[in-house]
Each structure stands twice: as C-alpha cells, then as structure tokens.
Amino acid sequence: MRRRREEPGWLHGKPPPRWARLAPPVALVALVLAQTATPGDIELGYFLAGLPPVAAFAYGAAGTAVFAGIVLLLLGVSSLGIGHAQGADLATVAVVALLSVVIAWVRRRRDAQLVSVRTVAEAAQLAVLPPVPEQVGPVRCAGLYRAAQRGTLVGGDLYDVRVGPYGVRALVGDVQGHGLAAVGTVAALLGAFREGVLDDPELAGVAARLDRRLLADTAGAAGSANSAGSAGSADPADAAVEHPELFATALLLEFPPGLDLVRIVSCGHPPALLLRASTVSEVAVEPGPPLGLGLAGADLAVVADVPLLPGDRLLAHTDGVTEARDAAGDFYPLATRIPALAKDPAELVEAVWQDLVAFTDGGPRDDVALLVLSLPDAAGVPR
C-alpha cells in the first residue's frame, strides 16, 4: 500500500543528489580555467570564495574543509595566477571558509537527527494504521491512503480489514478534522474495531462499540478541559471549546463465512460502490447517524445484506475522494470514471488516485482512503 507522496531522497537520509555534489568541483574548475584564459587585469578569483558555502550544503565538514583549503591556496598563493588576496581580504575569505565548515558539521548533525525522528514517527504511524494485506481470510484486499498533511502517513481517515470468528470485517472511516490532530481519534477507533471483530457477534454491535469509544473520549477530553480551566485563570467554558465533540463517519462491512454476500452498516458515511461487470452502482444502505453522537446503538443500526456475484468488487472510500474539486469547482465523479480505469483490483486504487490527482491538478486537500474488497471468485481464484 502506498501512502506517501514522493519527496526528495535526501530528506530520508539518502546522499544528496549527484548534481549537488558535482556543482562545487565543476564551478571550481570552471573559475580556474576562466581566470587562466582572461587578461591579468580582470580578477575572477574572488568568486572562488563562494564555493565553501555551496559545498556545505552537499558535503560534510571534512569535504567542505577540503574545498575551503583549495580556495585559500588558490587565492593566497599569487604565483599560481588565480588570485592575489592578501591581508584583510584573505582573512575574510578564511572566516567565510571556517563558517562553511561549521555549517556543514551542524547540517550533518541535524540531518542525522531528522532521519532518526522520521524513522520513529513513521514506525509509530504504521503501528496505528498498518498496510492492508493482499488477502485477509477469503477476502482479497487492495487499499490506498494519502494523508492531506505533507510528510505524514496517517491523517483523519482510517481503514482496516480483520478476520475473526464471525467472518472477515472491514472498516472505512473519516474522523472529525484531518492531519496529526486526528490521529488519536483514529487510533482509538481502530483499537475498538479490532476488539469488536473478535468479541461482537453482530455487525451492529461493532458500530455500537465504536460509538461508545468516541463518547468516552469526548467525556474524557471535556473533563480534562474543565479541570484545566478550574486550575488556571482561563474560563472553563473557553477551555471546553478547545475539546469539541468527537465524531466520525464509518462504513462497516462483514463477509460471513461460507456466504456469497456482504453485510454493511453505514454510520453517516458515503456509500460503497459495487463494481459488477462493466456497471458501477452505489450500494443501497440506509445511512445511520455518525459515530460519537450516542445514536449508533446496536438497536438503531440498520444492517443491509448485499448478495455478491462472481466477479463483484466493492469499493469503499472517504469523502476526500468525492468532494475533491477541479479548477472549475466540480466534484470528482468517482462512479462515472471508474469504468475507464484499471480492471485489476490491485491496480484500481492506484488508477483512481492518479486520475484524482489529474482531475484536481495536484491532488485533493483532504485525506483520501480507498479500499477494494472482493471474494476469491471475484479475482478468478477457485473457492
């Protein structure tokens, strides 16, 4: 599963690009040759003083020191015919060279710290929302996740597919807000869902469990805000505003063992799409209230049984897909564009993403989650 935008390799601890490392020596040779070919009354050598700061962006302290020493040698030894720096001028170049070495040393240390922090952050985020396997139990899966906040792997959308004693269950959801601020709510919902897969015999019970989880988190956040407001000079009402209600939309799916159908519960979430042969249609499910409002109890959730035929695929998504707009302000027509995209389930999610990026001229500004599910017959694998 691919969930990150392409970023320069040197931001992930890889060596700087080749052009960045070649620029200082090429400029050095070019300036030396240009000075040699020009009349003696034209001074080009002082341009060499700018090479150590440039080298500091691509080399470490030792490499920058080498460039600095070469520049000082060329400028300080007049018999070489490159430069004639003396006294204060040579001292100024030496100070610039020394500062360049220090900058290169500091940059390398900060790069190492950045790599360490990014590695820990990515590991933590992947622990919250790990990649979806190609197959969970008898269900084949293909997922794609793109967080709106650059540099993050997890935002305000979530999905998961788990197998349990009551079949394979899947969750696609969208919590209030996006970016890192929503990661805590995402983690809480995923934890509750994974428990529900094992413990709740009914899909509606899983929805009720998720609802209770958000209600408990809202109550806990409000209690902390009120305590902080009472302890400080701030008004408790103002502190509580910083912790508004937590709510989320979600789509729960269940593939019961031995049955060619899927059970679906919608908690205010966009409907899934059923891909059957060359047709695409919305799965008719009566939507319930969003999670976190105390209205998604097991007695209130409506469970829809949707029969599946060989070759059927289900595409669940978040509103970051269908609410993306083009330059004219038109919404992305997911259902009408799918037939022209990739036919293979594993390629479909990537094809939709690429089409969405082209449609929005750069990608949507909201988190995006796509999940394609199908039984083995849908992939041409004998059951």
Side-chain angles (χ1 to χ4, degrees):
M1 177 187 58
R2 302 175 182 176
R3 292 190 298 190
R4 73 181 71 180
R5 294 183 175 89
E6 295 297 326
E7 295 182 5
W10 52 348
L11 296 183
H12 292 279
K14 298 179 182 179
R18 180 175 298 180
W19 63 265
R21 298 181 64 85
L22 289 178
V26 169
L28 176 65
V29 172
L31 287 172
V32 170
L33 293 177
Q35 181 63 65
T36 304
T38 55
D41 58 341
I42 299 177
E43 184 67 54
L44 299 178
Y46 285 106
F47 286 106
L48 294 172
L51 292 184
V54 175
F57 287 99
Y59 291 84
T64 304
V66 171
F67 278 100
I70 294 174
V71 168
L72 290 173
L73 180 66
L74 292 175
L75 293 180
V77 180
S78 57
S79 60
L80 297 176
I82 304 301
H84 307 281
Q86 296 180 354
D89 291 338
L90 188 60
T92 300
V93 175
V95 170
V96 172
L98 178 61
L99 290 176
S100 300
V101 174
V102 173
I103 290 172
W105 179 77
V106 172
R107 182 189 62 81
R108 276 294 176 89
R109 283 181 58 87
R110 291 185 64 86
D111 283 353
Q113 292 174 351
L114 176 61
V115 170
S116 177
V117 170
R118 287 187 62 94
T119 301
V120 173
E122 291 184 0
Q125 293 178 81
L126 288 175
V128 173
L129 192 66
V132 175
E134 292 185 0
Q135 184 160 335
V136 178
V139 177
R140 292 177 60 89
C141 315
L144 180 141
Y145 193 105
R146 292 291 188 277
Q149 185 170 336
R150 188 175 181 84
T152 62
L153 302 181
V154 181
D157 290 356
L158 64 147
Y159 58 45
D160 200 5
V161 185
R162 298 277 165 163
V163 62
Y166 310 106
V168 175
R169 287 171 172 173
L171 166 68
V172 177
D174 185 357
V175 309
Q176 173 192 13
H178 58 79
L180 293 177
V183 173
T185 308
V186 167
L189 283 176
L190 287 173
F193 169 72
R194 290 160 188 169
E195 292 178 357
V197 168
L198 300 176
D199 299 337
D200 295 317
E202 300 295 333
L203 191 60
V206 180
R209 181 186 290 265
L210 300 180
D211 188 58
R212 291 195 304 271
R213 176 72 270 168
L214 288 187
L215 286 174
D217 289 351
T218 299
S224 300
N226 290 335
S227 298
S230 300
S233 58
D235 186 350
D238 294 336
V241 172
E242 298 178 2
H243 299 275
E245 281 187 320
L246 299 176
F247 65 89
T249 65
L251 196 68
L252 292 162
L253 303 97
E254 177 184 272
F255 295 85
L259 299 179
D260 292 327
L261 61 83
V262 59
R263 295 191 176 109
I264 302 178
V265 171
S266 175
C267 300
H269 197 78
L273 297 179
L274 177 62
L275 286 63
R276 176 170 292 170
S278 60
T279 64
V280 178
S281 60
E282 291 187 353
V283 177
V285 179
E286 182 178 345
L291 302 171
L293 304 181
L295 302 174
D299 297 333
L300 299 177
V302 177
V303 181
D305 288 355
V306 180
L308 295 177
L309 300 178
D312 285 354
R313 288 172 288 167
L314 288 165
L315 172 60
H317 59 88
T318 56
D319 60 9
V321 178
T322 52
E323 293 184 1
R325 297 173 181 263
D326 61 8
D330 297 326
F331 290 112
Y332 179 70
L334 175 63
T336 60
R337 296 176 80 99
I338 284 181
L341 301 177
K343 302 299 182 183
D344 185 83
E347 298 177 359
L348 177 60
V349 290
E350 185 65 32
V352 171
W353 170 253
Q354 296 298 333
D355 189 53
L356 185 59
V357 170
F359 181 84
T360 57
D361 192 21
R365 297 183 179 181
D366 196 3
D367 302 318
V368 167
L370 294 163
L371 183 63
V372 176
L373 303 170
S374 61
L375 292 174
D377 283 342
V381 179
R383 295 182 60 188

